Amino acid sequence: MRSELWCDVCCNLSLDIAREAELTPGFNNRHQNNGYHASRFETGYQIDCLCQFIKESKSSGCEFCKFLDKVIDTFIPNQTSHGDSMLLHLREDSSTSIYFLPSNPNTIHGRTNFQGTVYIYQPTDSVLGQSSQSRSAYAHIPVLPDIKPPNSKESFNYLKTCLKICTETHDSCRQNLSSPPKRLLHIGVCGDDSVRLYESPDGFREPYIALSYCWGKSNVVKTESSNIQLLIQGFSLKQLPAAIQDAAHVTQKLGLKYLWVDALCIIQDSKTDWEEQSAKMCSIYENAHLTIIASSSDAANVSFLNHSMRPLTFRYRVPDKPDVVLAARAECKNGHHLDSSAGIGNPIVPDPTISRGWTLQESVLPTRAISYSTDELQWHCRSTRSCECQRRVNDHQVASISAGQSQLDTLRQWDKLICIYAQRTLTYSEDKFPAISGISQLVHKQTGWRYLAGLWEEHLIYQLLWERHSFHPLVDDTDTSMPAKYRAPSFSWASVECPVITFTAGQDATEENVILYEDARLVNSNILLSGADPFGRVEPGSSLTMEGRLMQDVELRGPMEDTYAAYYVLLGGRDLTFEADIQLETFHFTGSNGLLQRSARRSARHADQGPLELESGTMVSVFLLAHARNTDGTGTQYFLFLGASPSNHNAYERLGVLMMGCNPQEGYNWLDFRDIPVQRIMLL
């Protein structure tokens, strides 16, 4: 039955009415020639129109268009005549949203037009006193909480509720506190600003909070050999940076007494203590009662509790219905909702912790964590993820290592984490392995696999097939560089500064019928550790000895114009493009035969200095790693391109990977290595 009264522009923001209106003769074409179009989609209904239609419709008495008119004025203050458009989405999950596309996105007189999604809702606190008539009339508008400041009572209640549900009902979040941190901060009760460094005795079982934050460029108070005794005696909380003070206040409000902060609980000028404690990151974050992630703070001296930025929100009390309040709120775009595929030029600035290397494992390892994100508080634990805005979270960047996973799932999750991690930055480049050692330790604990400078021995061939991510949406190829100091052997993804894509995260691995047949094998590994942590820093000379077939004296030419680190190579009569891990250069050395030879090596020259042309006769070697063959005779061969190592001319340096598609019926033949004898080579 037709509703008594509905608006032929906004359909009263009701999916049911929109579907009913669609059956009305002529509705779809009523405004179409004037910039209005309504259509179904898989999970709801979409109305695409100029904002001007809403403004004209409000005069007809539609209370919903009157509300939308105010929303338009709030989010598009610099309007143009008949130029600004909007997409109104009415979904089956009861969510209602508008996507604004202003014709002028610039700032005028300090006011900026909003481009993006705005959600329509009834604030939770406004429906408590609603009459049954109003509740029924507006039942199609979802009820959501407003997002309050992070230091508000409402935000703290959100945290307490999440924590209570998790500790009382989540079996997968049960903890074993058998391995407490060596040191903790002992925090006084609320109102007491005294704090002291506390050395945990044997048998210590008290719950503690852990803090994840960015040090930034601020002068962080640190525990060192010279001041540790003074810190043990006690000091004022006010001496600590704002982010650490905030964490202490949250700890007090939760009724807990202990807080773990890396700068204070690790002796920073003691190499022995630093390596010992950084190797325990896995257990420190796993066993923490809660981890606080100061996501919105870009430095230790920046408060996350006094962070004032919240999504733009507009509240509207419906005329003649004082018990009805409608609201519009800009979408939360950070943390759980961040879309990393948005591309270069995306106006969304990620939370500072999203871009820092150390904070990845500090978000992956905790049993449960609360993130003070730029837009809202966000919760995650081993069982669930949620946020204050109550929107569905974006799983694009979520990866986890958990008990019960198959080994293939664990490998895929590890590879996904490496792809995320490689995008992040570190203050000290040599921390590349230590900053992820907790995750490495967790994988080892779950699987028993042997760690080889960022790779896993049991899946080594797959692991060697990582590539530079040459089409990354957020990082330009020209940002690729060599670390200033040695930190990893060339066969490891950690040997270059750039985003990478691993084999299981790549397109080949998404095809269910891809079976990789290994054509090489590991004979021996020699990873030289620089400290006690088996997942930590490594020394120059770390190597793998591989056995397989090596095609030598293959000439490399280039680079190609307008494509970073891409070179020409002739293989099996086919002209191919080889994309190196980083731009290359020719170097000369005297071979074992006493003759002068030319090979390619990774270049330390920065991309903004321009590419270097390889000299004629620059030779590389091609090592067959594996192949995938389909039943129709097509498939792919996977090669490592190698150059003579500058430090040991009898060993090799990785230059990159080539994946060569084969289809004999179309003339793309398999490269025949059968006449090449099997030999052993060393990769440095």
Side-chain angles (χ1 to χ4, degrees), residues 154-162 370 377 379 386-388:
E154 292 84 357
S155 289
F156 185 67
N157 286 339
Y158 169 77
L159 165 57
K160 285 201 303 183
T161 299
C162 291
I370 188 73
L377 266 65
W379 171 271
S386 70
C387 55
E388 287 186 288

Side-chain angles (χ1 to χ4, degrees), residues 52-90:
Q52 193 64 29
F53 276 96
I54 300 295
K55 292 187 165 294
E56 292 171 358
S57 176
K58 72 174 182 178
S59 61
S60 67
C62 173
E63 61 187 41
F64 294 100
C65 282
K66 290 178 182 177
F67 163 63
L68 293 177
D69 176 53
K70 297 292 186 181
V71 174
I72 292 169
D73 288 345
T74 300
F75 287 88
I76 310 183
N78 308 312
Q79 297 170 30
T80 57
S81 177
H82 301 285
D84 305 307
S85 61
M86 56 182 275
L87 292 173
L88 178 60
H89 290 114
L90 311 173

Side-chain angles (χ1 to χ4, degrees), residues 209-230:
I209 304 291
L211 175 64
S212 171
Y213 65 110
C214 295
W215 283 33
K217 297 181 180 179
S218 59
N219 186 21
V220 179
V221 178
K222 297 179 287 188
T223 295
E224 296 181 331
S225 304
S226 60
N227 67 354
I228 185 170
Q229 292 305 317
L230 290 174

Side-chain angles (χ1 to χ4, degrees), residues 272-501:
T272 301
D273 193 69
W274 193 92
E275 290 180 349
E276 177 187 293
Q277 297 307 306
S278 64
K280 294 180 178 179
M281 290 294 184
C282 181
S283 64
I284 288 172
Y285 284 100
E286 269 192 318
N287 293 334
H289 184 68
L290 174 71
T291 294
I292 296 171
I293 304 175
S295 302
S296 62
S297 301
D298 62 0
N301 62 354
V302 178
S303 170
F304 61 84
L305 286 182
N306 293 318
H307 174 75
S308 60
M309 186 180 296
R310 281 297 182 261
L312 176 61
T313 302
F314 168 73
R315 288 171 69 112
Y316 174 84
R317 191 171 295 277
V318 177
D320 303 324
K321 293 184 177 65
D323 61 342
V324 177
V325 175
L326 301 178
R329 180 174 65 218
E331 66 177 326
C332 296
K333 294 186 176 182
N334 241 306
H336 288 351
H337 309 296
L338 182 67
D339 181 6
S340 64
S341 64
I344 296 174
N346 175 27
I348 303 305
V349 178
D351 286 336
T353 54
I354 293 290
S355 62
R356 302 297 294 161
W358 278 98
T359 54
L360 176 63
Q361 68 175 8
E362 294 166 6
S363 67
V364 171
L365 295 174
T367 299
R368 59 185 72 90
I370 188 73
S371 170
Y372 285 79
S373 184
T374 301
D375 299 326
E376 60 175 347
L377 266 65
Q378 299 178 344
W379 171 271
H380 73 264
C381 63
R382 291 176 180 171
S383 301
T384 190
R385 302 169 77 221
S386 70
C387 55
E388 287 186 288
C389 77
Q390 297 188 10
R391 274 182 55 224
R392 181 178 178 180
V393 301
N394 175 20
D395 289 332
H396 181 67
Q397 280 215 355
V398 178
S400 62
I401 308 297
S402 58
Q405 284 179 333
S406 68
Q407 293 210 352
L408 179 58
D409 282 341
T410 299
L411 181 65
R412 286 174 173 164
Q413 292 297 305
W414 165 264
D415 280 357
K416 188 174 182 181
L417 285 167
I418 293 306
C419 293
I420 296 170
Y421 181 59
Q423 305 172 36
R424 299 190 172 207
T425 59
L426 292 163
T427 302
Y428 303 104
S429 172
E430 59 268 29
D431 286 348
K432 197 72 169 183
F433 288 140
I436 202 174
S437 66
I439 297 177
S440 307
Q441 183 181 346
L442 181 59
V443 172
H444 172 72
K445 185 170 70 173
Q446 300 280 21
T447 64
W449 297 341
R450 186 163 176 257
Y451 188 71
L452 304 175
L455 312 180
W456 297 103
E457 179 178 317
E458 286 74 8
H459 301 278
L460 184 61
I461 300 301
Y462 284 85
Q463 297 277 277
L464 286 170
L465 290 173
W466 63 268
E467 298 177 273
R468 171 175 54 85
H469 196 330
S470 56
F471 296 101
H472 194 277
L474 301 178
V475 182
D476 194 275
D477 279 340
T478 55
D479 292 331
T480 302
S481 63
M482 293 283 288
K485 298 179 182 179
Y486 177 93
R487 71 181 185 200
S490 68
F491 54 78
S492 172
W493 49 266
S495 62
V496 289
E497 293 281 13
C498 67
V500 301
I501 185 164

Side-chain angles (χ1 to χ4, degrees), residues 240-254:
L240 297 177
I244 301 178
Q245 288 189 45
D246 287 350
H249 291 317
V250 175
T251 302
Q252 289 174 327
K253 290 184 71 173
L254 289 172

Side-chain angles (χ1 to χ4, degrees), residues 604-671:
R605 180 186 176 95
H606 198 274
D608 60 13
Q609 295 177 277
L612 290 170
E613 190 76 20
L614 294 180
E615 297 177 16
S616 176
T618 298
M619 299 298 181
V620 298
S621 298
V622 179
F623 188 62
L624 177 62
L625 276 180
H627 69 279
R629 185 184 294 271
N630 303 317
T631 55
D632 61 358
T634 62
T636 306
Q637 287 181 296
Y638 302 88
F639 305 102
L640 271 185
F641 271 52
L642 307 172
S645 170
S647 61
N648 178 355
H649 302 156
N650 294 318
Y652 293 91
E653 173 183 79
R654 170 186 158 127
L655 305 178
V657 166
L658 176 68
M659 302 182 185
M660 187 178 79
C662 303
N663 188 340
Q665 293 182 353
E666 296 185 6
Y668 303 118
N669 295 318
W670 294 82
L671 195 57

